[in-house]
Amino acid sequence: MSSSQTTVATEKASRYLQQLCKHFAHKIPVSFTPHEGECQFVCGTARLDANDTELRIKVESPDDAQRAQTQQVIESHLLRFAFREELGPLAWNEAA
């Protein structure tokens, strides 16, 4: 299992979490509340956690290549939705 995580400083964390989850729910299994979400991609799972000041994203995949693919999907969509904030590129760290 390969995993990584990133934290994005934004006051719109819950909004972006919900927007991402609603967007992906048209194509993949997704569950979410205003503060937690999970997106189950073919290449891996993304877990999102939002509070008043940040959005935390953790990605888990079977291998490094699929982890990178999952990161790219989440990151590209988040940056598109948050274009007014210039949040990226995101700094991903390997998770334990």
Side-chain angles (χ1 to χ4, degrees):
M1 189 64 68
S2 180
S3 60
S4 60
Q5 58 192 13
T6 189
T7 301
V8 180
T10 177
E11 294 179 4
K12 297 178 182 174
S14 177
R15 176 180 170 185
Y16 295 143
L17 180 152
Q18 293 176 73
Q19 191 173 9
L20 286 165
C21 289
K22 287 176 185 177
H23 175 78
F24 292 127
H26 296 286
K27 300 175 183 175
I28 62 168
V30 170
S31 61
F32 69 98
T33 69
H35 300 288
E36 295 180 346
E38 182 174 289
C39 302
Q40 298 176 12
F41 299 98
V42 173
C43 53
T45 299
R47 290 183 180 81
L48 299 89
D49 181 44
N51 63 32
D52 291 339
T53 60
E54 62 187 19
L55 175 62
R56 291 181 297 279
I57 306 167
K58 183 173 183 179
V59 169
E60 294 179 332
S61 297
D63 58 45
D64 290 346
Q66 291 182 74
R67 177 182 49 85
Q69 183 180 3
T70 307
Q71 284 177 196
Q72 190 278 327
V73 170
I74 286 287
E75 182 170 344
S76 66
H77 283 79
L78 174 60
L79 296 181
R80 190 174 332 142
F81 295 152
F83 67 93
R84 289 180 183 93
E85 288 195 65
E86 296 184 27
L87 299 177
L90 303 184
W92 292 91
N93 302 303
E94 288 190 31

